[in-house]
């Protein structure tokens, strides 16, 4: 068997520690404790192995990556390995001096998340008072340091109506790029789905806003936008296909085809403490299980889109059907597709309260 | 772009060798471009100090083509890269 094509990017989840408590956090609901985190030297080895394997970019993420005291050393190690370094941050832990140290260490790009354009709402969603103001201050430091900035706006029912203001904020903060990211409903977000799912009217207004802004701001702001699964007819090509372009390493060293895959049952994910990144990518059962099209159910295998959307998202298939090997129910051809419209209906009747992300709170909840 | 313009890579853009795939790539935030041979020759001369004219002189000394033709091609190529956000004047 020939080796699979090399991955393009590594997501390094340096820690699950984070001062924010966003109810749609993409981390697993069972968070890794600080004592289990990989040390500096191990991460440096992971970065070298990723570059040798063919990765071109590393996304330094978490949790909040700057909660690690060695973050500047990690940036330097990743850049030294030849990787393009992107810091994915909430911005609230990084003052001017720490940012200067990161720039000095060779950081290539900063991606800053915001919870809303309206400070009171932003602080409520992030579960962190004063957070929004600190983010704005951080963005000014990024601009002063001459680092390129992407603003990441995670959108849902409780902030989507202020999307135009969030686009204005991106411009005011000097961002050249913006991601308008609809919440993906796994882990914490699935537990909060009723409070977060947008209405169809909101979604249509948001899509029109993005299209108009792209036209008006051509050459000033690039906007990446993905329509949420719950209103889609076909699934997204999750991660560009399992084990095709992308790998993630968890704070405790587990090598994953996507950062959410850790919560899938019945997997023995390889760990960088015991194996090389290359062996994990090329030989592990976990990466090979859903690689390509051979694993697919009949429905996907005969589909002309099999190699476009790769059967969609394995985590969503598990979360909503109980079997990770099923067709993603976001596909209208899936026999389980109705669970998405049922969820939309349930959310329309629900309130706005959140179950916040907490280290000790593990919300095992699979909506029926 | 004009002959007197001094192009440089846009903030966040880097030209790197991709040894695993035997090519050169331009890397940016969540983006990657694979320049063709001609674009690569031009991008290698983009250093934020050299003017388009100086780049064309360099290329004219190495490639057998009329200088005016090279200038037109280089300007068109840089305009395209500028529209993609890879270079700035």
């Amino acid at each position: 068997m020939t080796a699979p094509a090399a991955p393009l990017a590594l997501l390094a989840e340096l820690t699950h520690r984070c001062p924010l408590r966003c109810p749609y956090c993409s981390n697993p609901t069972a968070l890794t404790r600080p004592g289990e985190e990989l040390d500096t030297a191990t991460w440096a080895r992971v970065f070298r192995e990723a570059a040798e394997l063919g990765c071109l970019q590393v996304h330094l993420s978490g949790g909040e990556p700057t909660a690690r005291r060695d973050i500047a050393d990690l940036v330097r190690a990743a850049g030294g390995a030849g990787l393009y370094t992107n810091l994915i941050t909430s911005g609230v832990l990084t003052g001017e001096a720490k940012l200067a140290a990161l720039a000095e260490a060779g950081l290539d790009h900063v991606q800053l998340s915001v919870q809303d354009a309206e400070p009171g709402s932003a602080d409520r969603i992030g579960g962190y008072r004063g957070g929004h103001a600190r983010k704005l201050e951080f963005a000014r430091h990024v601009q002063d340091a001459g680092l390129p900035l992407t603003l990441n706006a995670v959108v849902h029912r409780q902030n989507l109506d202020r999307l135009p203001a969030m686009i204005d904020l991106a411009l005011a903060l000097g961002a050249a790029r913006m991601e308008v990211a609809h919440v993906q409903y796994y882990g914490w977000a699935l537990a909060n789905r009723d409070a977060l799912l947008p209405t169809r009217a909101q979604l249509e207004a948001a899509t029109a806003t993005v299209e108009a802004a792209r036209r008006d701001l051509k050459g000033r702001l690039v906007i990446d936008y993905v329509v949420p699964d719950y209103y889609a007819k076909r699934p997204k090509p999750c991660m560009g296909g399992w084990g095709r372009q992308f790998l993630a390493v968890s704070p405790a060293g587990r090598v994953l085809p996507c950062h959410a895959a850790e919560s899938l049952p019945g997997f023995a994910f390889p760990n960088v403490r015991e194996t090389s990144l290359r062996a994990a990518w090329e030989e592990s059962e976990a990466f090979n299980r859903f690689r390509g099209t051979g694993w697919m159910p009949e429905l996907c295998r005969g589909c002309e889109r099999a190699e476009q959307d790769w059967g969609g998202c394995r985590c969503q298939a598990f979360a909503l059907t109980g079997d990770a090997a099923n067709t993603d129910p976001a596909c209208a051809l899936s026999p389980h597709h109705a669970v998405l419209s049922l969820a939309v209906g349930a959310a329309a009747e629900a309130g706005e309260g959140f179950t916040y992300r907490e280290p000790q709170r593990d919300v095992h909840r699979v909506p029926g | 772009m004009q002959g007197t313009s001094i192009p440089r890579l846009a903030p966040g853009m880097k030209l790197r060798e991709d040894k695993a795939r035997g090519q050169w790539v331009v890397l940016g935030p969540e983006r990657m471009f694979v320049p063709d041979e001609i674009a690569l020759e031009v991008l290698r001369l983009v250093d934020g100090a050299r003017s388009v004219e100086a780049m064309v002189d360099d290329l004219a000394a190495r490639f057998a083509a009329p200088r005016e033709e090279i200038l037109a091609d280089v300007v068109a190529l840089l305009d395209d890269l500028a529209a993609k956000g890879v270079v700035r004047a």
Side-chain angles (χ1 to χ4, degrees):
Chain A
M1 202 178 116
T2 54
L8 288 166
L10 166 71
L11 176 71
E13 300 214 298
L14 300 176
T15 178
H16 279 162
R17 285 174 282 152
C18 183
L20 269 63
R21 302 185 292 140
C22 304
Y24 47 71
C25 181
S26 65
N27 288 159
T29 53
L31 296 167
T32 296
R33 282 187 294 273
E36 299 173 80
E37 291 176 8
L38 298 179
D39 63 15
T40 316
T42 307
W43 275 117
R45 170 171 64 80
V46 168
F47 297 147
R48 286 194 302 274
E49 290 183 358
E52 280 163 24
L53 186 55
C55 285
L56 298 168
Q57 305 212 356
V58 62
H59 306 288
L60 301 167
S61 181
E64 171 49 51
T66 62
R68 291 213 33 148
R69 264 186 274 176
D70 58 356
I71 184 64
D73 293 332
L74 294 173
V75 167
R76 191 173 288 108
L83 298 170
Y84 183 99
T85 51
N86 177 26
L87 182 74
I88 299 181
T89 182
S90 68
V92 301
L93 296 182
T94 304
E96 202 168 3
K98 195 195 276 186
L99 187 69
L102 295 175
E104 210 270 323
L107 183 63
D108 289 311
H109 176 261
V110 176
Q111 179 175 316
L112 170 67
S113 65
V114 288
Q115 280 65 41
D116 202 327
E118 199 279 301
S121 172
D123 288 356
R124 176 184 161 263
I125 293 165
Y128 185 80
R129 190 174 297 181
H132 189 72
R134 294 177 81 147
K135 285 164 182 276
L136 301 188
E137 196 185 328
F138 172 78
R140 276 191 289 274
H141 295 323
V142 172
Q143 204 168 13
D144 291 347
L147 284 167
L149 176 70
T150 290
L151 196 73
N152 177 270
V154 179
V155 293
H156 46 79
R157 185 169 83 234
Q158 300 197 36
N159 67 6
L160 204 44
D161 294 340
R162 286 177 294 281
L163 180 57
M166 289 187 258
I167 294 171
D168 289 345
L169 182 61
L171 290 170
L173 297 178
R177 190 170 160 272
M178 179 175 191
E179 287 182 7
V180 177
H182 279 278
V183 169
Q184 310 267 352
Y185 294 96
Y186 328 113
W188 294 98
L190 188 57
N192 284 295
R193 188 175 62 183
D194 283 351
L196 294 170
L197 260 183
T199 65
R200 179 170 288 279
Q202 277 185 312
L203 172 68
E204 282 168 3
T207 304
T209 297
V210 169
E211 280 167 7
R214 277 178 173 163
R215 209 167 43 238
D216 297 345
L217 302 172
K218 202 171 163 58
R220 284 175 69 200
L221 186 69
V222 174
I223 304 178
D224 282 5
Y225 179 70
V226 179
V227 172
D229 285 330
Y230 281 68
Y231 291 102
K233 292 257 186 323
R234 291 289 178 268
K236 61 184 177 297
C238 196
M239 314 319 285
W242 181 275
R244 287 191 72 247
Q245 299 178 347
F246 185 89
L247 76 172
V249 174
S250 81
R254 278 182 283 278
V255 192
L256 307 166
C258 102
H259 54 290
E262 201 168 3
S263 43
L264 293 176
F267 275 91
F269 288 110
N271 193 300
V272 296
R273 294 189 216 261
E274 289 136 26
T275 185
S276 71
L277 222 47
R278 182 178 295 278
W281 177 260
E282 293 180 353
E283 295 158 21
S284 71
E285 190 278 333
F287 273 83
N288 283 320
R289 193 184 299 185
F290 294 132
R291 202 170 240 151
T293 56
W295 64 273
M296 286 181 176
E298 203 63 43
L299 180 64
C300 294
R301 228 179 303 162
C303 179
E304 58 177 18
R305 295 178 53 86
E307 295 195 7
Q308 289 168 43
D309 56 39
W310 302 98
C313 171
R314 299 302 87 228
C315 299
Q316 184 148 277
F318 171 71
L320 299 184
T321 76
D323 184 352
N326 274 338
T327 297
D328 184 340
C331 182
L333 302 172
S334 159
H336 300 280
H337 186 62
V339 300
L340 300 188
S341 43
L342 289 174
V344 169
E349 308 289 317
E352 317 279 87
F354 294 136
T355 301
Y356 283 102
R357 172 201 201 267
E358 309 280 357
Q360 305 306 329
R361 180 180 280 167
D362 188 352
V363 281
H364 285 297
R365 179 171 174 275
V366 179
Chain B
M1 294 281 174
Q2 305 163 356
T4 53
S5 305
I6 297 177
R8 59 185 165 83
L9 286 176
M13 291 292 169
K14 283 192 158 180
L15 181 66
R16 282 263 175 87
E17 188 177 8
D18 174 6
K19 286 188 184 141
R21 297 168 192 82
Q23 61 187 10
W24 283 73
V25 290
V26 178
L27 296 176
E30 304 275 349
R31 287 200 286 173
M32 190 184 110
F33 300 97
V34 182
D36 63 22
E37 274 176 57
I38 298 163
L40 180 58
E41 288 292 344
V42 172
L43 279 167
R44 280 180 165 148
L45 297 173
V46 171
D47 59 5
R50 227 184 296 236
S51 68
V52 173
E53 292 282 3
M55 292 168 63
V56 171
D57 290 342
D58 185 291
L59 293 166
R62 291 191 285 135
F63 296 93
R67 197 180 178 289
E68 283 313 302
E69 208 172 282
I70 294 178
L71 176 65
D73 287 352
V74 169
V75 166
L77 196 126
L78 287 171
D79 282 342
D80 179 51
L81 290 170
K84 286 179 181 157
V86 175
V87 299
R88 286 188 185 174

